[in-house]
């Protein structure tokens, strides 16, 4: 006897639905832990440098990724990258970013440290070569610090500007040109340099932190928030701890939260 292809499937029981929900939550929890395992386990603190970070996913997993890596005795490379969107698709893309962002290349007994514009350009090319579907784009800010001269070189791609903090002066955005990654194969990314000094701090962050850091007014001029300005003179570990507390309680006008990631650097006196 022929089977009835139009047979109505029995609805799942409440117990089955509850079990599926519990399993999904557990899988997401484990995925979030795997993602955190890709973050740096230790920060390269020294007698002259202090680092602190914030990593606050909007959900179990994040569309943000960051890294801080000592490349040789004189150089530290660090970045924040943000896959457009959040939840699992964006989180999967961050795993690709972690492997695709190349700060240093070793050949035999020699090595090359890539300049920030090279790092960003190479990442753009790798993304384009993947022919990603679903409008998966990325923003990134990559910085290279010479720990001897304290010269900071940086490049960005569609990412919020780094914030330069000097004691006794207003916060300053470090501007450079560069569009989204994974869009154009002829994209150009501007590289800039700033000289750091003892007492200076630097902050790079994902766009989920925008409403906490500042916004443009009706005249198109950027203004830092009072909450952000109230914490910038604290030591960097305390500053980022307060930043994290503010981030956890920060929601958009629609009541939605976004992934929030930030790296803070302080040059000690």
């Amino acid at each position: 006897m022929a089977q009835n292809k139009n047979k109505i499937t029995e609805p799942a029981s409440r117990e089955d639905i509850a079990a599926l929900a519990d399993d999904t939550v557990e899988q997401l929890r484990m995925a979030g832990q795997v993602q955190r395992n890709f973050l740096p386990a230790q920060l390269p603190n020294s007698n002259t440098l202090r680092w602190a970070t914030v990593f606050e996913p909007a959900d179990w997993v994040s569309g943000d990724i960051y890294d801080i890596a000592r490349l040789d005795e004189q150089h530290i490379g660090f970045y924040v990258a943000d896959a457009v969107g959040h939840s699992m698709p964006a989180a999967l893309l961050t795993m690709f970013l972690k492997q695709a962002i190349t700060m240093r290349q070793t050949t035999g007994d020699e090595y090359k440290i890539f300049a920030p514009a090279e790092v960003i350009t190479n990442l753009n090319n790798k993304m384009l070569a993947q022919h990603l579907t679903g409008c998966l784009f990325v923003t990134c800010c990559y910085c290279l610090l010479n720990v001897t001269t304290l010269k900071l070189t940086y490049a960005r791609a569609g990412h919020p500007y780094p914030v330069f903090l000097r004691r006794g002066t207003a916060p300053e955005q470090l501007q450079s040109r560069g569009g989204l990654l994974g869009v154009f194969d002829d994209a150009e990314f501007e590289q800039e340099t700033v000289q750091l000094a003892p007492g200076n701090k630097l902050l790079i962050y994902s766009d989920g932190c925008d409403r906490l850091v500042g916004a443009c007014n009706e005249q198109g001029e950027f203004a830092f928030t009072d909450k952000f300005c109230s914490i910038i003179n604290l030591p960097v570990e305390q500053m980022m701890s307060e930043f994290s507390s503010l981030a956890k309680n920060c929601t958009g006008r629609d009541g939605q939260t976004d992934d929030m990631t930030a790296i803070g650097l302080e040059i000690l006196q």
Side-chain angles (χ1 to χ4, degrees), residues 177-250:
R177 294 191 300 271
L180 287 169
L181 294 166
V183 182
F184 301 112
D185 58 7
D186 59 349
E188 295 184 359
F189 304 98
E190 191 174 66
Q191 179 172 294
E192 297 289 350
T193 298
V194 63
Q195 181 63 52
L196 303 184
N200 293 167
K201 290 197 284 286
L202 182 82
L203 178 75
I204 62 173
Y205 59 94
S206 64
D207 66 0
C209 303
D210 276 343
R211 54 185 175 270
L212 173 57
V213 176
C216 291
N217 58 25
E218 295 179 354
Q219 290 71 41
E221 300 172 338
F222 186 89
F224 292 94
T225 68
D226 292 339
K227 287 183 178 180
F228 178 69
C229 291
S230 71
I231 65 174
I232 60 176
N233 291 321
L234 299 171
V236 70
E237 294 97 333
Q238 189 177 351
M239 183 185 87
M240 297 303 283
S241 176
E242 292 292 328
F243 191 91
S244 179
S245 297
L246 292 172
K248 291 176 182 177
N249 298 308
C250 187

Side-chain angles (χ1 to χ4, degrees), residues 80-84 97 137-141 157-160 179-181 206-207:
V80 172
D82 181 359
V84 176
L97 296 175
F137 307 126
V138 170
T139 74
C140 183
C141 180
H159 203 80
L180 287 169
L181 294 166
S206 64
D207 66 0

Side-chain angles (χ1 to χ4, degrees), residues 41-248:
Q42 292 184 325
L43 302 178
N45 291 322
S46 67
N47 293 333
T48 56
L49 304 176
R50 281 293 183 275
W51 302 84
T53 63
V54 170
F55 185 72
E56 295 290 343
D59 209 332
W60 294 100
V61 292
S62 176
D64 296 346
I65 192 78
Y66 74 87
D67 199 3
I68 307 170
R70 181 172 287 279
L71 306 180
D72 64 8
E73 292 183 356
Q74 284 192 305
H75 296 92
I76 294 175
F78 58 103
Y79 66 83
V80 172
D82 181 359
V84 176
H86 55 269
S87 196
M88 193 57 72
L92 289 172
L93 185 53
T94 66
M95 296 298 93
F96 167 80
L97 296 175
K98 174 69 176 182
Q99 301 303 317
I101 295 177
T102 305
M103 310 184 209
R104 164 181 156 153
Q105 183 179 66
T106 302
T107 305
D109 295 332
E110 299 181 350
Y111 66 88
K112 174 183 178 180
I113 293 176
F114 291 106
E118 290 181 294
V119 173
I120 296 292
T121 299
N122 291 340
L123 178 58
N124 187 57
N125 292 338
K126 289 178 181 178
M127 286 192 63
L128 290 168
Q130 290 296 312
H131 302 290
L132 298 170
T133 59
C135 297
L136 293 175
F137 307 126
V138 170
T139 74
C140 183
C141 180
Y142 179 79
C143 302
L144 180 65
L145 175 67
N146 185 312
V147 300
T148 301
T149 66
L150 298 182
K151 183 176 75 171
L152 180 86
T153 309
Y154 64 94
R156 52 173 289 282
H159 203 80
Y161 296 124
V163 179
F164 184 31
L165 303 170
R166 287 177 288 187
R167 190 169 300 165
T169 64
E172 175 186 350
Q173 289 183 310
L174 299 179
Q175 299 189 9
S176 65
R177 294 191 300 271
L180 287 169
L181 294 166
V183 182
F184 301 112
D185 58 7
D186 59 349
E188 295 184 359
F189 304 98
E190 191 174 66
Q191 179 172 294
E192 297 289 350
T193 298
V194 63
Q195 181 63 52
L196 303 184
N200 293 167
K201 290 197 284 286
L202 182 82
L203 178 75
I204 62 173
Y205 59 94
S206 64
D207 66 0
C209 303
D210 276 343
R211 54 185 175 270
L212 173 57
V213 176
C216 291
N217 58 25
E218 295 179 354
Q219 290 71 41
E221 300 172 338
F222 186 89
F224 292 94
T225 68
D226 292 339
K227 287 183 178 180
F228 178 69
C229 291
S230 71
I231 65 174
I232 60 176
N233 291 321
L234 299 171
V236 70
E237 294 97 333
Q238 189 177 351
M239 183 185 87
M240 297 303 283
S241 176
E242 292 292 328
F243 191 91
S244 179
S245 297
L246 292 172
K248 291 176 182 177

Side-chain angles (χ1 to χ4, degrees), residues 27-39 61 95:
Q27 294 296 325
L28 287 171
R29 186 194 66 78
M30 293 175 63
Q33 185 56 55
V34 169
Q35 188 179 44
R36 287 180 179 273
N37 290 341
F38 280 85
L39 302 177
V61 292
M95 296 298 93

